[in-house]
């Protein structure tokens, strides 16, 4: 049996067609096949068949269509349309449906060698017989058809790229020409045709086609060709296409959904409601808020639906835990979530706008037109959610919260689904899933008592079941007796835990071995939303193997879970109870454990920072002592800091609250280079150093005050607060002088030089830079001296003291090359190009700039690459090479746009307009 949707809607048995009836009846079959093996509610089927023009007797009519389709398949073994609690379901092997076979083959081709991938894509494209869902009409069919046409087009362009890489340009040329005539504004296709023409020896025709595309884009869209097509044009002009160009790496497709719940029961009506609300696909973007008290299974419901519907979202799924009610710390800021989403969407940190509004706008732009799911879990309030809503009607959003989020409904018309507890039958089914039918059926009275304590909360059922599973031979009545002992406990002050639920936690806690019970309590007070194995071992004061054994007890009791390999977290409600137990039963141990884990983060954080910035460890920070991680390079250090970032931040905040002063500034230092490199963590960096400075002042530590004032001043300068930056840097300089800290003085001078440059005070900038250089020459740290030499050379060149600038920069270049620092070498070559340009030696400037560009490419410094490319264009222009200048500026402009450097891009665009 085969089904065909990539053309007219058809079905065949052994090659013979089946009569599927008229177009509406075929549309019902298509609706069941587009999302195979999924139960579709009757209302959703009606909407897909008729849209908003359903007849008055739509249900009866639909029943008739379903009956006749069942009759059509009556003689076919294994093919049937089932009625389920959730609607109607057509179980089918996906390989039997041409649409899904097409998708599977295209996906497999991504991982195949070119020859094999080309064959796979040819076979996939051959499955298309015409317009998808032929004969079906209505909004749903049109929407699906448009999406499928785009999937086919993407596969076709991928096929072209591979064929060109394999040298099949001659065979492909005629088809590419025809496709380009039909799609004259598709730049990727235009590039393929230009490449094929060039490889066929028709360079002139290739250049002519580029000019034709450029004119069409300008006339019809008011736009220039993109950077990829412009680069290809330059290479054709230069005759540099000696081999087929490889395909560009596309934007990554995010797949952030956590795992679906292993056990899931009931919620049929709720799933149908989600389907109905989110299936429209019309503006505004489909959004639904699932609200309810803690432990009711909101996250499980949303993830169950999301995994079931994942094929609806081929462009990916974004997920964020907003930690709206996390007892370990404050909710996640919308800015941090947006920045994380931009990371997942492939936007480099140095390419994103610095302000939150700009990042939100970029996030919405990237999602425009994409079929993508966004899951916002555990929201605190409406204000936390609003910046995270996409603007495109093609995106779908699911929000969960313990609050009712009435603001979302009032201002944006977002519907809410209030999730109640499980029914008694559903709760029993869930318990059966954990313990098995035989054990549950054997003690109906005990089961009734257990379920009464669980109060329909899936979280509580899971914990009770885990407790019972530890002793499979014990009667469930024994567990009932345990719970009865705690039935009179008051609810916690937070109001988060009902008496019954607290009794459930207490029973599990009391059943733990003493050491595991203490581990449970201590993990409750761990800083951060989760914790890694080494940090947890430090918190508990045990070796890692022992830690794993203790945590296994907690995992068995559903008190903690390993949500990613090597990292553990607790449900919010469980953590509330763990914190209470820590205060009541293990106060001294919890305090000592918190000190140990903060010390762990200090030691490991300092070690990671030292890898990223090996040139200095200020005395106030101290040297790492005890065990430190094996971090051989920048990649390893960045990976550790990325995984532990939230924990380190929370550890700093915990230390500040308790008045444990040195760890506060030490942890700020541990994160400093990481935060600077990430770019989007500027507000975190400001907060960290403000806390560090406050701690240093309270401790009366002059060296720490100078360090914190320096780093806070530098952070303020990066966000544009030049007045605040200068105040703190002047303070750091004065304190370093008072204490005789030469390194600290040099640091303050270098940061003040940058502040003066931003203010247009180049003479003062040079004074600070040379003051730093004079100090650093006596400290014996060659690469710090190299950076100071280059900085001084840059400001001397800006002041037109070119001989002095050359001496500084040549000395910096020699040090950078001697020590193998390619980043410093590239920066110094850029300075040498600048001073050559100022001296009127434009050809020499071009040579230096081009050398710098090679270095920036090697170290991945794309931000600096663009700045140097602009200066390269200036030197070409000064030498009378206008076309080369414009080519460099146009390339730089496209990169500025990609990096979202709006102000710089506008200045360069104005320069290009003047030079036409």
């Amino acid at each position: 049996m085969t089904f065909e949707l990539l053309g007219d809607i058809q079905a065949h048995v052994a090659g013979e067609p089946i009569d599927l009836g008229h177009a509406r009846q075929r549309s019902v079959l298509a609706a069941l096949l587009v999302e195979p093996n999924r139960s579709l509610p009757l209302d959703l089927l009606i909407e897909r068949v008729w849209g908003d023009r359903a007849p008055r007797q739509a249900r009866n009519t639909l029943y008739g269509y379903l009956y006749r389709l069942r009759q059509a398949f009556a003689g076919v073994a294994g093919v049937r349309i089932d009625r389920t609690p959730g609607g109607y379901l057509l179980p089918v092997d996906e390989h039997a449906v041409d649409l899904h076979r097409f998708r599977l083959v295209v996906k497999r081709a991504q991982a195949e060698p070119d020859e094999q991938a080309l064959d796979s894509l040819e076979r996939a494209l051959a499955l298309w017989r015409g317009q998808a869902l032929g004969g079906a009409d209505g909004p749903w069919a049109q929407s699906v058809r448009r999406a499928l046409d785009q999937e086919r087009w993407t596969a076709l362009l991928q096929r072209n790229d591979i064929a060109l890489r394999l040298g099949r340009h001659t065979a492909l040329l005629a088809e590419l020409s025809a496709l380009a005539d039909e799609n004259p504004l598709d730049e990727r296709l235009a590039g393929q045709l230009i490449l094929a023409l060039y490889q066929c020896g028709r360079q002139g025709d290739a250049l002519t086609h580029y000019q034709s595309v450029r004119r069409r884009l300008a006339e019809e869209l008011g736009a220039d060709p993109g950077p990829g097509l412009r680069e290809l044009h330059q290479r054709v002009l230069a005759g540099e296409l000696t081999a087929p160009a490889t395909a560009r790496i596309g934007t990554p497709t995010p797949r952030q959904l956590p795992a679906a719940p292993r056990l899931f029961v009931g919620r049929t009506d709720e799933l149908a409601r989600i389907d109905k609300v989110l299936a429209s696909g019309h503006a505004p973007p489909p959004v639904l808020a699932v609200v309810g008290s803690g432990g009711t299974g909101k996250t499980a419901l949303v993830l169950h639906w999301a995994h079931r519907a994942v094929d609806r979202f081929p462009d990916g799924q974004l997920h964020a835990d907003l930690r709206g009610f996390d007892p370990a710390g404050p909710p996640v800021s919308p800015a941090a979530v947006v920045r994380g989403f931009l990371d997942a969407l492939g936007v480099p940190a140095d390419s994103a706008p610095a302000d939150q509004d700009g990042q939100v706008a970029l996030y919405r732009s990237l999602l425009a037109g994409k079929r993508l799911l966004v899951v916002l879990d555990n929201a605190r309030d409406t204000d936390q959610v609003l910046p995270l809503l996409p603007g495109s009607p093609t995106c779908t959003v699911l929000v969960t919260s313990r609050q009712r989020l009435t603001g979302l409904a009032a201002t944006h018309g977002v519907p809410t689904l209030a999730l109640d507890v499980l029914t008694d039958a559903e709760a029993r089914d869930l318990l059966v899933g954990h313990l098995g039918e035989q054990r549950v059926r054997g003690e109906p009275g005990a089961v009734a008592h257990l379920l009464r304590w669980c109060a329909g909360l899936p979280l509580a059922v899971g914990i009770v079941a885990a407790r019972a599973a530890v002793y499979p031979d014990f009667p469930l009545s024994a567990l009932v007796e345990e719970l009865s002992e705690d039935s009179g406990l008051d609810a916690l002050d937070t109001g988060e835990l009902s008496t019954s639920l607290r009794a459930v936690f207490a029973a599990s806690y009391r059943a733990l071995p003493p050491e595991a019970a203490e581990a449970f309590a201590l993990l409750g007070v761990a800083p951060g939303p989760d914790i890694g194995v080494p940090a947890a071992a430090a918190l508990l004061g045990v070796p890692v193997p022992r830690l794993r054994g203790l945590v296994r007890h907690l995992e068995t009791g559903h008190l903690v879970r390993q949500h990613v390999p090597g990292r553990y977290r607790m449900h919010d409600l469980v953590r509330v109870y763990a914190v209470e137990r820590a205060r009541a039963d293990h106060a001294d141990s919890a305090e000592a454990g918190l000190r140990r884990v903060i010390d762990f983060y200090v030691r490991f954080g300092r070690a990671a920072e030292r890898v990223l910035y090996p040139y200095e460890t200020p005395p106030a920070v101290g040297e790492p002592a005890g065990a430190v991680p094996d971090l051989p390079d920048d990649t390893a250090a960045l990976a550790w800091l990325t995984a532990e970032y939230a924990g380190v931040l929370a550890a700093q905040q915990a230390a500040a609250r308790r008045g444990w002063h040195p760890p506060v500034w030490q942890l700020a230092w541990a994160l400093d280079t990481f935060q600077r490199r990430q770019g989007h963590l500027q507000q975190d960096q400001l907060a960290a150093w403000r806390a560090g400075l406050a701690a240093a002042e309270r401790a009366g530590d002059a060296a720490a005050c100078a360090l914190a004032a320096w780093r806070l001043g530098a952070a303020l300068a990066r966000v544009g607060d030049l007045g605040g930056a200068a105040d703190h840097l002047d303070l750091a300089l004065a304190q370093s002088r008072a204490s005789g800290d030469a390194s600290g003085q040099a640091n303050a001078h270098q940061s003040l030089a940058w502040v003066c440059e931003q203010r247009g005070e180049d003479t003062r900038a040079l004074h600070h830079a040379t003051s730093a250089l004079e100090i650093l020459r006596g400290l014996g740290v060659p690469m710090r001296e190299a950076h100071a030499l280059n900085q001084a050379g840059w400001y001397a060149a800006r002041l037109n003291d070119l001989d002095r600038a050359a001496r500084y920069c040549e000395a910096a270049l020699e040090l950078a090359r001697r020590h193998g620092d390619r980043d410093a070498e590239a920066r110094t070559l850029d300075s040498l190009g600048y001073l050559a340009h100022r001296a009127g030696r434009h050809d020499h400037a071009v040579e230096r700039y081009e050398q710098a560009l090679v270095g920036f490419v090697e170290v991945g410094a794309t931000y600096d690459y663009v700045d140097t490319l602009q200066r390269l264009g200036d030197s070409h222009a000064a030498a009378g090479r206008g076309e080369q200048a414009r080519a460099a500026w146009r390339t730089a402009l496209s990169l500025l746009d990609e990096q979202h450097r709006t102000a710089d891009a506008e200045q360069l665009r104005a320069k290009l307009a003047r030079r036409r």
Side-chain angles (χ1 to χ4, degrees), residues 603 606 610 616-626 666:
R603 288 185 290 111
R606 279 188 304 200
R610 188 156 192 166
E616 177 186 24
T617 300
V621 174
E623 295 292 333
Q666 290 168 339

Side-chain angles (χ1 to χ4, degrees), residues 171-188:
L172 198 61
L173 185 57
E175 182 181 356
L176 287 174
S177 297
L179 289 170
D181 288 340
E182 297 168 3
N183 303 274
L185 300 180
D186 191 299
E187 292 189 46
R188 183 175 175 188

Side-chain angles (χ1 to χ4, degrees), residues 580-599:
E580 187 199 58
R581 298 301 355 129
R583 291 171 179 164
D585 303 338
H586 306 281
D588 292 342
S589 297
E591 189 84 351
L594 190 57
R595 282 189 178 274
R596 284 193 300 268
V597 76
I598 290 175
D599 176 68

Side-chain angles (χ1 to χ4, degrees), residues 595-662:
R595 282 189 178 274
R596 284 193 300 268
V597 76
I598 290 175
D599 176 68
F600 165 87
Y601 284 130
V602 168
R603 288 185 290 111
F604 278 46
R606 279 188 304 200
E609 167 68 13
R610 188 156 192 166
V611 173
L612 299 181
Y613 185 71
Y615 307 121
E616 177 186 24
T617 300
V621 174
E623 295 292 333
V628 294
D630 180 18
L631 302 172
D633 53 29
D634 279 22
T635 301
L638 290 170
W640 187 89
L641 285 162
T642 299
E644 302 293 347
Y645 182 72
V648 177
L649 268 187
Q652 191 210 28
Q653 294 161 4
R657 286 194 300 270
R658 286 163 175 78
W660 300 343
H661 300 311

Side-chain angles (χ1 to χ4, degrees), residues 52-66:
D52 57 1
R53 297 185 177 182
R56 295 178 64 182
Q57 299 297 321
R59 283 178 173 260
N60 290 335
T61 304
L62 185 60
Y63 289 141
Y65 293 165
L66 290 163

